[in-house]
Amino acid sequence: MKTTLVDPRTGRVRGTAPVARESEVRSAVEAARATLPGWRGLTPRDRARRMELLATLVEENADAYVAREAAGTGKPDSETAGEVEQVADLFRFYASAVRAQSAPAAGRLVDGHESWVRWEPLGVVGVVVPWNYPLMMAAWRCAPALAAGNTVVAKPAETTPDTLELLAEHAAQALGPDVLTAVPGDRQTGRLLVEADVDMVAFTGSAAAGADVAARAAGRRVSLELGGNAPALVLPDAPDDTWTQLARACTYNAGQSCAAPARVITLRENYEHAVEQLAAAARECLAGRDFGPLNNADQLARYDGIVTASAAGRNLAAGIAPRPGEDNGFWRPARILADLPDDDPAVVEEVFGPLLTVQHAEDLDAAVALADGVPQALAASVWTRDLTTGLELAGRLNAGESWLNCHLVQTAELPHGGRGASGHGTDLSTLALHEYQRPKTVTARLVRGS
């Protein structure tokens, strides 16, 4: 069985990909299970050396990864090249982190006894990743899982199997056969993987799909990252480059990022200025020149449906500049929606496109209430020259990650995770290792020899 692959830059068919069904998924999981004792039995140092080799293979084949990622997502090389570099860095980071992780309390905590804590891998981890960051999201999930001693079976999104398949090929060389396996396919493939004999499921995707994953996992550990709808609180004294920074962050990856700014909230006194400045900044960001297309026809229809259903009084769109031959791609311009109700579809839903809504509040308390007034709680930002006020607001916002005078600034050392409808669990940082481990307390009574 094959699925048709489409180039989002042109809208034309670019090839096909296999669709794994029950026998293929079962075989992949069984092979990962058979490989598990050898992989988990390696010392952290030996696992780290193999992961370092995988990072090197990613770097040495960066051009191939960039080409594959561009074919599946339509992203410009300036974006894909940076993401490939981050992927190599992530494998190196976790190769080192697993050797340096600290344990909870240990020692003679009970009289006459010595205790310590072992961190053990969970086993076989099923990973399901989305189409917006096919390679990077795979690395966010797979790198800590592998470093912790698990084997992984990973399912890429139906429209973007390219880079994960290449990563699995390089993993076979660097880590060993069946330590990291890719099973391409559709939604049914993902359901089969979740229901297979895996010990944990790590899923990144929509809230509805996440609820389905949790139900199918049937009590096994699940790590869920289910999207966002990030507010950006812009105060009247925001830095001069705020509008440019927000427009660039909103259009990076065509806005198809769970943590991208989506809802600009300012005070009434600054509302007209904010709309004017955001519209001007958006006009400087051209689809086709500065950022890529939406990923697939379904996402295009969903995006257009939200925009059409919006009751915004002002719909301010920039232009598009596709290259020759790309006129039929899934391009949508940077867009600002203003004068809209607080329950507008473009406000309460995760739009997942190059679009910012603009709302106003009477005071800071009302602004925070607006920011926290949607089910998602993944990321947020505050823009002000007043450091004290900015830090206070960043702390008050209900989000797993908050920025001050910046947005989408992330690194391997800092954790990323959601709350509420955005799911639970932690990506990035040493904390993510514990997503894929479980602690075992060992206590020994000290008995003296005769």
Side-chain angles (χ1 to χ4, degrees), residues 78-109:
S78 58
E79 293 184 11
T80 52
E83 290 168 16
V84 171
E85 183 180 342
Q86 290 181 54
V87 166
D89 179 65
L90 275 170
F91 280 103
R92 286 209 165 87
F93 174 80
Y94 283 108
S96 299
V98 74
R99 299 183 65 183
Q101 63 177 323
S102 58
R108 195 166 297 188
L109 306 175

Side-chain angles (χ1 to χ4, degrees), residues 76-449:
D77 289 353
S78 58
E79 293 184 11
T80 52
E83 290 168 16
V84 171
E85 183 180 342
Q86 290 181 54
V87 166
D89 179 65
L90 275 170
F91 280 103
R92 286 209 165 87
F93 174 80
Y94 283 108
S96 299
V98 74
R99 299 183 65 183
Q101 63 177 323
S102 58
R108 195 166 297 188
L109 306 175
V110 180
D111 187 39
H113 298 74
E114 189 77 17
S115 301
W116 61 96
V117 176
R118 293 167 50 98
W119 282 103
E120 299 179 341
L122 295 171
V124 179
V125 177
V127 169
V128 181
V129 295
W131 44 254
N132 58 330
Y133 293 102
L135 180 63
M136 196 162 67
M137 290 296 98
W140 279 25
R141 295 300 200 171
C142 295
L146 293 166
N150 304 279
T151 52
V152 174
V153 179
K155 188 260 173 193
E158 184 175 4
T159 60
T160 54
D162 312 77
T163 44
L164 182 51
E165 288 181 326
L166 183 58
L167 183 67
E169 292 174 15
H170 288 144
Q173 297 177 41
L175 311 181
D178 303 317
V179 176
L180 169 60
T181 306
V183 284
D186 54 13
R187 291 183 180 179
Q188 180 60 22
T189 308
R191 295 186 182 110
L192 288 169
L193 178 57
V194 172
E195 294 173 346
D197 181 29
V198 296
D199 300 291
M200 175 193 173
V201 177
F203 174 83
T204 304
S206 71
D212 182 68
V213 166
R216 292 176 187 274
R220 288 167 293 162
R221 187 184 293 190
V222 177
S223 177
L224 302 173
E225 203 267 63
L226 305 180
N229 192 357
L233 269 61
V234 181
L235 276 57
D237 67 341
D240 293 338
D241 67 347
T242 295
W243 321 108
T244 299
Q245 294 290 333
L246 285 172
R248 289 175 179 171
C250 169
T251 56
Y252 183 86
N253 198 28
Q256 298 169 124
S257 173
C258 298
R263 300 175 293 129
V264 172
I265 299 169
T266 190
L267 300 183
R268 183 181 294 276
E269 65 194 78
N270 197 50
Y271 177 68
E272 287 300 329
H273 179 69
V275 173
E276 176 186 327
Q277 292 298 313
L278 282 170
R283 285 193 293 270
E284 297 301 315
C285 298
L286 295 182
R289 185 193 70 185
D290 302 310
F291 62 93
L294 299 184
N295 180 261
N296 55 76
D298 288 344
Q299 174 58 16
L300 188 77
R302 181 182 176 277
Y303 173 87
D304 287 346
I306 292 174
V307 172
T308 299
S310 174
R314 281 182 278 182
N315 184 331
L316 309 171
I320 62 173
R323 293 179 296 186
E326 297 183 347
D327 294 333
N328 294 321
F330 305 142
W331 304 100
R332 286 298 179 267
R335 188 182 304 272
I336 306 299
L337 297 182
D339 305 343
L340 70 180
D342 294 342
D343 62 351
D344 193 85
V347 171
V348 299
E349 297 186 36
E350 183 184 26
V351 176
F352 227 53
L355 183 153
L356 284 170
T357 61
V358 191
Q359 300 167 272
H360 60 74
E362 296 301 324
D363 53 34
L364 293 183
D365 288 339
V368 171
L370 270 182
D372 293 345
V374 298
Q376 307 91 347
L378 181 65
S381 61
V382 180
W383 302 78
T384 175
R385 288 185 173 91
D386 186 331
L387 182 61
T388 300
T389 299
L391 291 175
E392 179 185 349
L393 289 172
R396 289 177 62 186
L397 289 168
N398 182 30
E401 188 167 10
S402 293
W403 292 283
L404 177 58
N405 296 329
C406 57
H407 204 112
L408 282 184
V409 177
Q410 295 172 318
T411 181
E413 291 86 349
L414 296 174
H416 170 82
R419 304 173 178 182
S422 292
H424 58 77
T426 300
D427 288 320
L428 302 179
S429 82
T430 57
L431 298 177
L433 285 169
H434 294 330
E435 290 286 298
Y436 306 96
Q437 296 173 310
R438 55 190 169 193
K440 176 186 286 182
T441 298
V442 180
T443 297
R445 183 169 65 93
L446 305 179
V447 180
R448 296 185 181 277

